Amino acid sequence: MTGKKSNPLFIVILCIATVIFIAPVIIVLVNSFKGQFYIADRPFELPGADTFVKFENYINGIRKTNFIRAFLYSLFITVFSVTGILFFTSMTSWYITRLKNKITSALYYMFVFSMIVPFQMVMFTMSKMANVLRLDNLIGIVVIYIGFGSGLSIFMFSGFIKSIPLEIEEAATIDGCNPLQTFFLVIMPILKPTAITIAILNAMWIWNDYLLPYLVIGNKYKTIPIAVQYLQGGYGSRDMGALMAMLVLSVIPIIIFYISLQKHIIKGVVSGAVKG
């Protein structure tokens, strides 16, 4: 297969698709440096001498939205939710995969079934229960996110664990490892590529989520999507420049997170292909 020429048409199609996907982000970035009255009139033009406002939109957006506080709230919720999802679902997946009986099978299918239930079907009853159970706070919403993120995570972890030879765990047991040592010292390192993929998927979802935090914690703890939404304002009071700037700042952390972990995903995929 080495030396096989790439298909030029395929490369052109990929380049066009890349431009289409990146174009909205570039447009937002360009308009974040323009005066708000020029954004609607000339949205596709680069900032010029009369439209360039330097970092004024960013300063106004940070001041109006209290962005630093919103960032810390979003960071707290995302970090602890993703950590909890990885910790609990990895162990649950290992347990229900290795201990095969009717109960574990029922649990597995319940988690899988939760993936196909639309959030809109349960959002009102969920927000009411969260209020009754005193989960309408930062710790409570982390618990809720762990519950909502369990379905997909257990499905992915279970599929990967099934491919791990049972002999590896038996060898660890013979060497004197108890179940916890077997999981954390033997199984978890093998699950690293899948864990990173799950972490990225859940982090992107939780960081950008608007509806669940709005329903559960509302204005008490404004996350970034809620804070940015308040820049919409009413008719005639929408600050488009600050809105564009805050959208750029809200996207940067998740892009950095993805890029920093991308090499681990590629390494895991290549490693799995070689071993398979």
Side-chain angles (χ1 to χ4, degrees), residues 7-265:
N7 189 342
L9 179 61
F10 182 68
I11 295 176
V12 171
I13 293 175
L14 288 180
C15 291
I16 294 174
T18 302
V19 171
I20 292 174
F21 279 104
I22 294 180
V25 180
I26 301 299
I27 292 173
V28 171
L29 178 63
V30 168
N31 283 288
S32 68
F33 293 100
K34 293 161 61 175
Q36 62 172 324
F37 297 109
Y38 298 100
I39 295 175
D41 294 336
R42 291 175 273 178
F44 302 109
E45 290 185 8
L46 294 175
D50 57 336
T51 62
F52 184 58
V53 293
K54 299 182 179 178
F55 292 98
E56 182 180 330
N57 290 328
Y58 289 87
I59 296 172
N60 291 336
I62 291 174
R63 177 178 53 82
K64 290 181 179 180
T65 61
N66 201 348
F67 185 83
I68 303 300
R69 178 177 294 180
F71 175 83
L72 293 176
Y73 286 149
S74 292
L75 184 65
F76 177 89
I77 293 171
T78 303
V79 169
F80 283 96
S81 297
V82 172
T83 302
I85 289 171
L86 293 177
F87 181 76
F88 292 111
T89 60
S90 59
M91 290 193 293
T92 302
S93 302
W94 183 57
Y95 179 81
I96 64 179
T97 301
R98 293 310 189 204
L99 189 64
K100 296 180 181 179
N101 54 43
K102 293 182 179 180
I103 296 177
T104 56
S105 297
L107 283 173
Y108 174 76
Y109 287 113
M110 286 176 62
F111 282 116
V112 173
F113 177 74
S114 68
M115 295 168 53
I116 64 175
V117 178
F119 174 74
Q120 289 77 7
M121 288 183 61
V122 299
M123 62 182 184
F124 293 114
T125 53
M126 182 275 303
S127 58
K128 178 62 177 178
M129 288 298 297
N131 182 261
V132 171
L133 298 175
R134 308 288 184 180
L135 295 176
D136 50 351
N137 50 65
L138 292 178
I139 302 298
I141 197 171
V142 168
V143 175
I144 295 173
Y145 269 125
I146 291 174
F148 275 107
S150 295
L152 177 62
S153 302
I154 287 178
F155 176 76
M156 294 181 66
F157 271 130
S158 298
F160 191 85
I161 291 173
K162 289 177 183 178
S163 65
I164 299 176
L166 191 59
E167 290 77 11
I168 296 178
E169 300 171 30
E170 293 174 348
T173 303
I174 294 173
D175 289 338
C177 292
N178 58 41
L180 285 177
Q181 290 174 326
T182 300
F183 177 77
F184 286 107
L185 299 179
V186 178
I187 300 300
M188 201 58 194
I190 300 176
L191 292 178
K192 183 179 178 181
T194 305
I196 291 175
T197 303
I198 292 173
I200 290 176
L201 293 175
N202 284 291
M204 293 176 64
W205 158 53
I206 296 171
W207 182 268
N208 296 315
D209 191 23
Y210 170 81
L211 190 55
L212 181 57
Y214 183 77
L215 291 173
V216 176
I217 55 180
N219 296 328
K220 292 191 296 183
Y221 307 98
K222 291 181 182 178
T223 58
I224 288 179
I226 297 175
V228 171
Q229 182 66 22
Y230 273 83
L231 287 174
Q232 292 279 359
Y235 292 105
S237 63
R238 180 181 300 176
D239 191 343
M240 290 297 296
L243 179 62
M244 295 292 176
M246 292 305 97
L247 289 176
V248 173
L249 291 182
S250 65
V251 169
I252 289 175
I254 204 68
I255 292 177
I256 294 174
F257 176 71
Y258 176 80
I259 293 175
S260 63
L261 295 180
Q262 186 181 22
K263 62 180 181 181
H264 296 287
I265 299 178

